[in-house]
RNA sequence: GCCGGGGUGGUGAAACUGGUAAACACAGCAGACUUAAAAUCUGCCGGCGCAAGCCUUACGGGUUCAAGUCCCGUCCUCGGCACCA
């Protein structure tokens, strides 16, 4: 598998879809190792406790941004993905239109000539820019720090802490002035250059223009450091420009204080300013994505080795195809410090494939997300003597993909990208990996524990704990098998550590697979978490046993009464038949929207109706029972196939259940002569009336107004308005 | 902090397009059957109140004849935030 992953790496590298550049990582200076974001706790290494620092190291990147537009647009081609997943991906890709602006600098302002680039979606506020901020690693910051120990110390401080977006967003915003300035591209005014810890080198240009009046973050920063605030977007709130502002005005509006741009609206101002910048060659409109390229280099042992060789004369050279795979050595020594492969000369010492001189093999391995991005294609052709063969096309796309919501963005976006990258390498014809997506919930169960003197928790499995309840059924206490009390720990994800797991095999042994399936289906919709309950399982078993008993009673007694033809039904049996078809209609509707728990409810309601059907008229009862039970079995078949198929045969229904047509509700059975309508007075439910099903508006109004409930609560006042909702209710407003 | 979910009885949940809140179950309570137990069946089961009735879908506002559902704000909670995978 990883041989072909390396092979694809090379193809993507050749196509320019993989490249190398510096990336920022968490560095633990004590363990001398790169830490995952998860391993950085409050800015410190989880094991060493050392203050983590940001460090720039060379890494390989996959150019997922080359597909940003396609990945975004194609979300519309995935109607069978949950809306929330598509929304999250859309926001993650984050397409925004804006302007790239160059702030020129020269001998006078910085000591050399050049431009500082920033990107902004608010070019309309350019006339309100009062300073620019650069990342600590930005070349201008380093230049300024060269002769300024205080600034150098501040830059060191900025490098502390983790790199995760959550850390960046929640840390205190800090900055320090530099003696440098850049020129405003339109007014030529000098703007001070600040170094700020919230500007990241790896994001965008590593620099931002600051407009305190119209950006919350800039406002807070300017407020803290006494930087000028210049209002350029009009608002009633800020009619008094001199008043002390509480916050920024970030909405779009009409420009003021902006010379020739005064009076323009957002779009007009962006257009005019972009045009002027373009004329001066100091800016241009451009689309920016929030999506960043995917850094795949990991300084870990476990992983697919990156098939590259570093040669001092030739640069980065791919390992020749015939030398693949680059095999992960097994005699590795794991010390917990640094990358194990980087300490194994027998692994990294090699000859340059290009010039033959001694060279160094790449010791980084790939992010394991790379593996999970194409397995579904390889699984279609596991013995192929290529990355994939034509069988991948035959089986793609995956019809139904199931996974947790935690994969909504990363795994699912990487897989979508990978499928396209493989397509563009001529490996598959498809662009998307998964047709339908279901994000399932977790299985959770109650937890119980007891603490020893040392504070260690001993966890008890829910199956061995006896709970005590008050007379309302509320759980009051719980006891372990030894009779002593345990602490009720709440409902948590099933896990070994909390000892609250349930072995499905034990369940199947005891109740059978159908009961397990029925309970799981009935307990919660599939995308919601499933709360395990032993008594719930027993409830499912009781229901299925009732189905079984009804089937056998039907087979032995009722069926004998079946006369054939369609007998005239007494009212009570017509009601039963109506109940069956009503629930069938509901079940079909719920199947279509994938809400299976209410399908299970519908089968329970059907059985309840069948069991209560009066048996006085044997022939009519047999007809209703026969039709009703055949519907029940067919609706139940996808949930409890074994039970349904067996009963279908034992009851003597024609053919095999698998071949039977899916039942459709009979509209005639649903028809009613009289219906009940609720009567409300001033929106409050006060009673109900019986009306003919086809009664018109006036008739219904008349009956409602004359009803006892209405008369009582109208208090003799004339109706001001009467709202009739067909088939539902009448609301009388007085 | 940002993005996406969620918050309804003792519990799991249902309520489709704004129209009877709590369907269907679980637990509980009472009863029938039984010498007894299990199983099964029947009834009750959001809160307050003797009752009439009033209140109730996290909290506070709003729109509407009518809000669990729509709008604004707040709180809590879960998932993700690019090196957990």
């Amino acid at each position: 598998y990883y041989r072909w992953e390396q092979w694809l790496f090379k193809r993507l590298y050749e196509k320019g879809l993989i490249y190398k550049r510096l990336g920022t990582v968490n560095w633990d200076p004590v363990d001398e190792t790169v830490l995952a974001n998860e391993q950085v706790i409050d800015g410190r290494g989880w094991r060493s406790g050392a203050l983590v620092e940001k460090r720039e190291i060379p890494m390989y990147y996959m150019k997922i941004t080359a597909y940003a537009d396609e990945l975004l647009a194609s979300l519309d081609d995935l109607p069978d993905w949950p809306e929330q997943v598509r929304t999250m991906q859309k926001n993650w890709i984050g397409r925004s239109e804006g302007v790239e602006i160059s702030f020129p600098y020269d001998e006078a302002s910085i000591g050399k000539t050049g431009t500082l680039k920033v990107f902004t979606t608010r070019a309309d506020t350019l006339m309100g820019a009062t300073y620019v901020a650069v990342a600590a690693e930005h070349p201008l910051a380093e230049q300024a720090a060269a002769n300024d120990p205080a600034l150098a110390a501040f830059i060191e401080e900025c490098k502390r802490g983790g790199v995760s977006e959550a850390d960046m967003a929640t840390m205190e915003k800090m900055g320090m002035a530099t003696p440098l300035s850049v020129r405003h591209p339109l007014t030529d005014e000098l703007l001070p250059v600040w170094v700020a810890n919230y500007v990241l080198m790896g994001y965008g240009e590593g620099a931002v223009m600051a407009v305190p009046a119209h950006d919350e973050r800039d406002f807070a920063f300017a407020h803290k450091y006494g930087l000028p605030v210049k209002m350029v977007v009009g608002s009633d709130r800020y009619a008094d420009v001199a008043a002390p502002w509480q916050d920024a005005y970030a909405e779009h509006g009409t420009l003021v204080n902006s010379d020739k741009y005064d009076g323009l609206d957002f779009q007009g101002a962006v257009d005019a300013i972009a045009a002027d910048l373009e004329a001066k060659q100091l800016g241009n409109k451009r689309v920016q994505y929030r999506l960043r390229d995917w850094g795949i280099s990991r300084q870990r042992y476990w992983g697919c080795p990156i098939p590259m060789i570093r040669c001092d004369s030739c640069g980065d050279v791919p390992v020749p195809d015939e030398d693949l795979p680059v095999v992960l050595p097994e005699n590795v020594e794991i010390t917990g410090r640094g990358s194990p492969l980087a300490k194994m000369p027998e692994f990294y010492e090699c000859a340059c494939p290009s010039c033959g001189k001694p060279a160094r093999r790449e010791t980084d391995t790939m992010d394991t997300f790379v593996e999970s991005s194409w397995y579904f294609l390889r699984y279609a052709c596991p013995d192929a003597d290529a990355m994939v063969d034509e069988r991948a096309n035959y089986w793609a796309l995956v019809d139904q993909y199931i996974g947790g919501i935690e994969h909504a963005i990363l795994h699912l976006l990487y897989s979508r990208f990978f499928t396209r990258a493989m397509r563009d390498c001529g490996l598959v014809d498809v662009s998307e990996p998964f047709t339908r997506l279901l994000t399932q919930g977790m299985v959770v169960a109650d937890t119980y524990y007891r603490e020893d003197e040392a504070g260690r928790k001993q966890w008890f499995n829910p199956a061995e704990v006896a709970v005590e309840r008050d007379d309302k059924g509320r759980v009051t206490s719980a006891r372990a098998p030894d009779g002593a009390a345990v602490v009720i720990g709440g409902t948590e994800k099933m896990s070994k550590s909390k000892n609250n797991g349930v072995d499905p095999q034990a369940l199947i042994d005891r109740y059978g697979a159908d009961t397990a399936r029925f309970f799981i289906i009935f307990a919660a919709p599939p995308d919601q978490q499933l709360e395990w309950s032993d008594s719930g399982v027993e409830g499912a078993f009781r229901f299925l046993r009732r189905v079984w008993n009804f089937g056998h009673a039907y087979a032995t007694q009722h069926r004998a009464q079946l006369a054939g033809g369609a007998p005239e039904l007494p009212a009570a049996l017509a009601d039963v038949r109506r109940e069956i078809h009503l629930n069938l209609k509901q079940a079909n509707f719920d199947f279509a929207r994938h809400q299976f728990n209410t399908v299970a409810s519908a089968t329970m309601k059907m059985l309840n109706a069948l069991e209560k059907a009066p048996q006085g008229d044997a022939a009519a009862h047999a007809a209703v029972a026969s039709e009703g039970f055949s519907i029940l079995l067919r609706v139940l078949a996808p949930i409890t196939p074994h039970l349904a198929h067996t009963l279908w045969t034992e009851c003597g229904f024609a053919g095999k259940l698998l071949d039977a047509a899916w039942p459709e509700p009979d509209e005639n059975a649903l028809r009613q002569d009289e219906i009940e309508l609720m009567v409300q007075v001033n929106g409050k439910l006060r009673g109900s009336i019986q009306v003919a099903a086809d009664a018109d508006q006036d008739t219904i109004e008349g009956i409602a107004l004359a009803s006892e409930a209405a008369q009582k609560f109208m208090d003799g006042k004339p109706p001001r308005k009467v709202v009739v909702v067909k088939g539902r209710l009448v609301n009388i407003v007085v």
Side-chain angles (χ1 to χ4, degrees), chain A residues 297-336:
Chain A
S297 295
R298 296 289 181 273
Q299 301 70 43
R300 298 188 204 284
Y301 166 62
W302 277 116
C304 172
I306 292 177
M308 295 294 289
I309 288 168
R310 173 79 196 172
C311 169
D312 286 341
S313 338
C314 309
D316 294 312
V317 184
V319 173
D321 280 357
E322 58 270 23
D323 292 347
L324 297 183
V326 176
V327 178
L328 205 56
E330 289 182 25
N331 58 333
V332 65
E333 194 197 347
I334 307 287
T335 61

Side-chain angles (χ1 to χ4, degrees), chain A residues 136-159:
Chain A
E137 297 86 355
H138 196 279
L140 287 187
E142 284 170 5
Q143 182 190 334
N147 303 312
D148 185 341
L151 189 59
F154 175 71
I155 287 173
E156 272 313 300
E157 172 138 8
C158 284
K159 289 182 180 171

Side-chain angles (χ1 to χ4, degrees), chain A residues 42 55 79 95 98 251 333 359 472 559 588 611 659 729:
Chain A
D42 295 331
R55 185 174 271 208
R95 184 181 197 277
E251 310 291 312
E333 194 197 347
K472 296 214 165 166
R559 194 175 157 74
N588 284 351
E611 285 181 340
D659 301 325
L729 56 76

Side-chain angles (χ1 to χ4, degrees), chain A residues 62-81:
Chain A
M62 288 203 184
K63 211 171 190 175
I64 189 171
T65 53
Y67 292 86
D69 259 327
E70 195 189 333
L71 289 168
L72 183 65
S74 306
L75 286 171
D76 294 336
D77 305 332
L78 297 170
D80 294 317
W81 278 39

